[in-house]
Amino acid sequence: MASAAEQLAANINFGSIAKAEELKKRIWFTLGALIVYRLGTYIPLPGINPEALAQSFQNASGGVLGLFNMFSGGAVERMAIFALNIMPYISASIIVQLLTSVLPSLEALKKEGEAGRKILNQYTRYLTVFLALFQSWGIAVGLQSSGNIVLDPGPFFLISTVITLTGGTMFLMWLGEQITSRGIGNGTSLIIFAGIVANLPTAIAGTLELGRQGAISTGLIIGVIVMAIAIIYFVVFMERAQRRLLINYPKRQVGNRMYEGQTSFLPLKLNTSGVIPPIFASSLLLLPATIASFQSSADGTGIIATLTAYLGHGRPAYMFLYAALIAFFAFFYTAIVFNPTETADNLKKQGGFIPGIRPGERTADFIDQVLTRITVIGAAYLVIICLIPELLVSYAALPFYFGGTSLLIVVSVTMDTVAQVHGHLLAHQYEGLVKKAKLKGARRR
């Protein structure tokens, strides 16, 4: 027999969305916020020569700069006020989470609950400002030293660029938090998602045009389409994959009534970390290369040029670091979001146990062992999804939008957002059922 939740899910359609007023408000707020973000990617920095910038970007777009441009929704090639996007905030989040695992004082804050989380979020914001100032200063200096991109070089341009880019990042950080609390989905992921999706039509049209001109073979284009479909199917399958641990609850007596023992499952996702590892890995690779990408055209020698050469997109060093960082963050973020000890303690308090495993510490060790094993598979899946298409993109000169990272982000964020919409609809329909039950009870009285 289908459960009540399954029956409600079967009845969900656009009509039910229209009736859920709270959900409609959240959807409209999310769409409005993303429109504001997209408008900001078209507002250029003051004092920039668009023609010279376009020429300089075209010469360097095949490297890390092109990947940065993809995550920023095209704001880098237009040098818009949102050119830094939300990457400094992501980098700051990584650093704070790493320090939380190392510094006892920060770890104590994490255990304080909501109050400690607010303090850690404040630290993350401060660090975001510092990283944004650092990166925007590097971009301003790089632009000023790259030929005739800047119309009126000088201190005023440097200061105004730093303030504008840093302000743009802080605004996007605030906008992402607003989407998370008042909209649908994770605000940070949706901002990156919107940037990638907005430029997909242009990337597809450009690829078809290259095929028409003979620069790319028809067979390669068909192969890329088949690969993209296969990746989407594989991502959906893997993101839904779970390892379900059987949980038994013994008989219990409440008052004079005896309740039979129950059986449930503890679901462990194969990829508990979601889309975070590729985003974190890309963010860390972009952080040191930001200045290098802009100065490479002006300075062909030295440390900056060497860094650019080694971290070029598709280079062995880049691929190795990318794979290693994805695997590391898959384990690291899983350890942050899922605590086997807390889960085992909660099961013990509720009287639940895993058959054949003693409650308490043994249960925590067993859950940790299972979680580690499936995370190995999840990390390998992320590396394969993100690395193999990136090789094809690099060596076949295809747009970054056809890479595994972009497709993984688009598919995963879409699934998460749809799941949240589904959850809001279920909550709305349950509220409706409760109201009907109360009305019936009032009429009987």
Side-chain angles (χ1 to χ4, degrees):
M1 180 183 290
S3 64
E6 291 172 343
Q7 291 176 359
L8 286 173
N11 295 326
I12 288 176
N13 50 37
F14 288 106
S16 58
I17 294 179
K19 295 176 183 178
E21 293 296 330
E22 177 65 21
L23 178 59
K24 284 198 299 182
K25 291 179 181 179
R26 288 180 172 271
I27 292 175
W28 282 116
F29 180 85
T30 303
L31 292 176
L34 294 180
I35 290 173
V36 170
Y37 158 65
R38 288 304 301 160
L39 290 175
T41 61
Y42 287 90
I43 302 175
L45 290 173
I48 297 292
N49 183 346
E51 291 79 12
L53 175 65
Q55 181 62 36
S56 177
F57 179 82
Q58 187 176 5
N59 295 335
S61 60
V64 177
L65 188 60
L67 187 63
F68 201 176
N69 184 60
M70 180 192 73
F71 283 122
S72 68
V76 172
E77 64 178 321
R78 294 184 287 270
M79 199 45 61
I81 60 175
F82 291 160
L84 281 182
N85 202 259
I86 206 165
M87 288 303 174
Y89 176 68
I90 295 175
S91 301
S93 300
I94 298 169
I95 295 172
V96 170
Q97 289 178 358
L98 286 172
L99 291 177
T100 302
S101 304
V102 176
L103 299 178
S105 58
L106 294 181
E107 188 176 2
L109 283 175
K110 181 182 176 182
K111 294 179 180 179
E112 289 182 5
E114 184 65 22
R117 188 181 65 82
K118 288 182 178 179
I119 297 176
L120 289 176
N121 287 342
Q122 199 64 26
Y123 290 161
T124 304
R125 294 188 185 100
Y126 293 147
L127 186 56
T128 300
V129 174
F130 173 77
L131 293 178
L133 287 171
F134 170 75
Q135 288 184 273
S136 58
W137 176 261
I139 289 176
V141 173
L143 288 172
Q144 203 165 244
S145 62
S146 299
N148 57 346
I149 292 179
V150 180
L151 297 175
D152 187 17
F156 179 77
F157 173 78
L158 293 175
I159 295 173
S160 63
T161 299
V162 169
I163 293 175
T164 303
L165 290 178
T166 303
T169 295
M170 300 309 296
F171 176 78
L172 287 183
M173 182 185 68
W174 174 83
L175 192 66
E177 292 176 350
Q178 295 301 309
I179 293 174
T180 302
S181 61
R182 300 171 59 187
I184 293 291
N186 181 280
T188 302
S189 299
L190 279 173
I191 287 175
I192 298 175
F193 165 86
I196 295 174
V197 170
N199 285 339
L200 268 177
T202 304
I204 294 173
T207 303
L208 294 177
E209 179 63 20
L210 289 175
R212 189 184 67 83
Q213 295 174 358
I216 299 178
S217 65
T218 304
L220 179 60
I221 294 177
I222 296 174
V224 169
I225 295 174
V226 173
M227 180 197 71
I229 295 174
I231 288 177
I232 291 172
Y233 178 82
F234 186 52
V235 168
V236 172
F237 175 80
M238 294 297 285
E239 291 298 321
R240 290 178 178 272
Q242 294 179 347
R243 169 73 160 87
R244 302 203 300 175
L245 299 180
L246 180 65
I247 306 295
N248 286 339
Y249 293 92
K251 293 181 180 180
R252 58 193 179 95
Q253 184 173 355
V254 179
N256 295 326
R257 298 188 63 181
M258 177 67 71
Y259 291 89
E260 292 291 331
Q262 296 179 346
T263 300
S264 65
F265 294 94
L266 175 65
L268 300 177
K269 287 189 65 177
L270 193 66
N271 178 29
T272 307
S273 57
V275 74
I276 297 298
I279 294 178
F280 277 14
S282 300
S283 179
L284 283 188
L285 286 175
L286 292 173
L287 180 61
T290 302
I291 303 174
S293 297
F294 279 97
Q295 291 188 339
S296 59
S297 59
D299 184 9
T301 59
I303 298 177
I304 292 177
T306 304
L307 180 63
T308 305
Y310 277 106
L311 289 181
H313 198 268
R315 298 295 178 88
Y318 174 88
M319 291 298 185
F320 175 78
L321 282 176
Y322 191 40
L325 287 173
I326 288 175
F328 168 76
F329 282 117
F331 283 92
F332 175 73
Y333 199 75
T334 298
I336 289 177
V337 300
F338 192 95
N339 190 328
T341 303
E342 290 182 2
T343 304
D345 290 341
N346 292 333
L347 286 175
K348 188 176 181 180
K349 291 176 183 178
Q350 297 169 6
F353 63 93
I354 299 175
I357 307 295
R358 292 182 60 183
E361 186 177 350
R362 292 287 183 88
T363 299
D365 292 340
F366 177 76
I367 295 175
D368 183 61
Q369 183 181 19
V370 173
L371 190 64
T372 301
R373 289 178 177 177
I374 64 175
T375 303
V376 170
I377 302 174
Y381 141 73
L382 289 175
V383 170
I384 291 172
I385 283 292
C386 294
L387 218 58
I388 293 180
E390 296 297 331
L391 291 170
L392 181 61
V393 168
S394 301
Y395 292 107
L398 292 172
F400 289 99
Y401 302 92
F402 297 113
T405 305
S406 57
L407 291 176
L408 176 65
I409 292 173
V410 169
V411 176
S412 298
V413 173
T414 301
M415 290 176 63
D416 291 340
T417 306
V418 170
Q420 286 206 21
V421 172
H422 183 262
H424 281 285
L425 285 175
L426 288 177
H428 173 73
Q429 292 196 10
Y430 274 124
E431 289 176 2
L433 291 175
V434 171
K435 288 180 181 179
K436 288 180 180 179
K438 289 182 178 180
L439 286 175
K440 287 181 180 179
R443 288 173 183 173
R444 289 175 181 174
R445 293 176 186 175

